[in-house]
Each structure stands twice: as C-alpha cells, then as structure tokens.
Amino acid sequence: MNSSIQDQLQVFRESQNNRGRLLINCPDQPGIVAAVSKFLFQHDANIIESSQYSTNPEGGNFFIRIEFECPGLQSKEEELKSQFKEIAETFSMEWKLAFVYELKKTAIFVSKELHCLRELLWEWQSGDLLTDIALIVSNHEEARQIAESLHIPFFYIPASKEKREEVEERQLQLLKEFDIDLIILARYMQILTPAFVGAHPFKIINIHHSFLPAFVGARPYDRAHQRGVKIIGATSHYVTNDLDEGPIIEQDIKRVDHRDHIDDLKKSGRSIERSVLARAVKWHLEDRIIVHENKTIVF
C-alpha cells in the first residue's frame, strides 16, 4: 500500500480511538432507547449521533444506529459486549457493536471495465473511503497496472464456468489469508456460487448496471435500448444466491431519449455506476446499513 495512504489511515485510527457504533434490530416496544441510553451513560459514553426507525410501533420492527464517544474504549471492548447481552436478551435484539478504529479490510473484484475500480481508488486516496484495501482480484489483466502503482497486491485468476469451483477455492483462500471483511464486486462479470456467497453473508456488495428490478442479468443496456426506456440507472446491492435480487443499498438514475444509442447509454451509465457503488460501500464501512428480510435500512 502507498505509504501516504498508510499514514492517512493511521491518523484516522488514532483519532477514532474512543469512537464506537451500535446497530440494533428488534421487535418494537417501549423502553428500548431508554435502556440503551442508560447502558451507554453507565459506561461514560456520550452519544454523538442517533438515528432510529420503526416499521410499525404496534407489532413492527425497531431499528437504531447510535454512534458514541467513550473514554478508554479500547480497554472496555469485551466488557461492553459482555454486559450488553443482558439488554439484548431482554428486548430480543439482533445487534452489532463496532469500533471505528478497527478499519474494515476490503477486497475488490474486477473484470475488464475499470471505471468503478478507479472511482473507489480515487475516493480511497482522497480519504473519503476509509478502509484497508488489502487486495484486488481479477479474471483479466487490465487492472494490474493500477493496483501495482498503488502497491496493492494484485491476483490474476482466470475464470470460466468449467473451473468455477477451483477458481473460487483459490479466491476464498486469499480472502481468509488477508482476513477480509468486505468484498466489492466492481463490475466483476462472473456469477458467484452459493458456497462462495454463503461464506460471506451480506459482506459482498455488487454494482448492477440497471435500475433493478428492471433488466436483471446480462446486457441490461442492450435490452433497455430495445425497450426504448426514458430512464437508465444503476443499483448497488448485497449479493445473495438469487441473481441480482439481493437487498438493495443504493440506486440512481439519469434521463435518456430516442436519440441515445447503446454506446450512449453505456457511457451515461458508467457515471451512475461509479457514484452508486462508492456510496453503498461507504455506508457499509460506516456501519450505516441494517439488513431486514430482503431490504436494507440505511441510516
């Protein structure tokens, strides 16, 4: 990794030594916010940001994201996790306690088209995408020069239907070796097997080059042109075993008309794809997403 980027990430880690995030999903009922707030207060934590949502106050689900400052947080990690379990059990919570100084390690998968990769790397170099990009994996050689110029390990692993299991075995080995927290499919044009997806539930983010649920699968711009659409878009979502039907994180659109050919749609679409994927990744890194059924709550 480039030394200046390493320095930048280290400064961030040190500045966030006492910052934590708590994400909760549970049946809605009175007393949740009071109990969580009291717990944080008892541990000398100060709430910096709090966002909440209820699907229905009577029998619905309640979601909350709290960001807080807590003196000596690193020494309190295990104590906080252990003692919060009692509250979690009382309210039947699904919960996650994250520590901001523990930067997530990411792997970027890419094929021939590099526009999404370039956007992610630009955001990363600019300090707007705070993560440790540990490696770049590709089934083509096009991204090698970019990766090596930034001293990011690059792994060329040719892929095909005939040897998909062999390829994924090597990829999974790399992900384990580098201790990866998040996989980003930056226009990686291969379908992942259930075994691969199952090994990283809701930790694989994809960018699909259409406004889902329209034009699922391959060649969406071609099919959009054939249908004479007036709007094109892009969708970033978590990967599941159902092709392009995982929980949607972010979407955007742009108007087009009858004068636009397929290449025009693709050119416009690339701009949307870049920004949509970058936002989705950033929100995941900032622990702003809670998955509920096949939807996401994004705070």
Side-chain angles (χ1 to χ4, degrees), residues 109 135 137 154-158 163-178 196:
F109 283 44
L135 72 160
V137 177
F154 177 81
F155 295 89
Y156 167 54
I157 307 176
K163 57 177 184 177
R164 184 167 291 163
E165 290 184 4
E166 176 188 337
V167 167
E168 288 193 352
E169 184 179 348
R170 171 61 176 146
Q171 292 170 343
L172 288 169
Q173 184 181 24
L174 284 170
L175 297 173
K176 184 176 181 181
E177 179 183 330
F178 282 87
F196 190 101

Side-chain angles (χ1 to χ4, degrees), residues 22 24 26 29 31-32 35-36 38-39 42-43 78-95 97:
L22 184 59
I24 296 168
C26 64
Q29 57 192 292
I32 299 170
V36 174
K38 181 179 179 181
F39 172 83
Q42 289 172 338
H43 289 84
E78 295 308 317
E79 177 188 353
L80 288 170
K81 288 179 180 178
S82 175
Q83 293 187 13
F84 191 75
K85 288 179 182 178
E86 183 178 344
I87 295 175
E89 290 172 2
T90 300
F91 292 95
S92 302
M93 294 176 174
E94 294 178 14
W95 60 285
L97 181 57

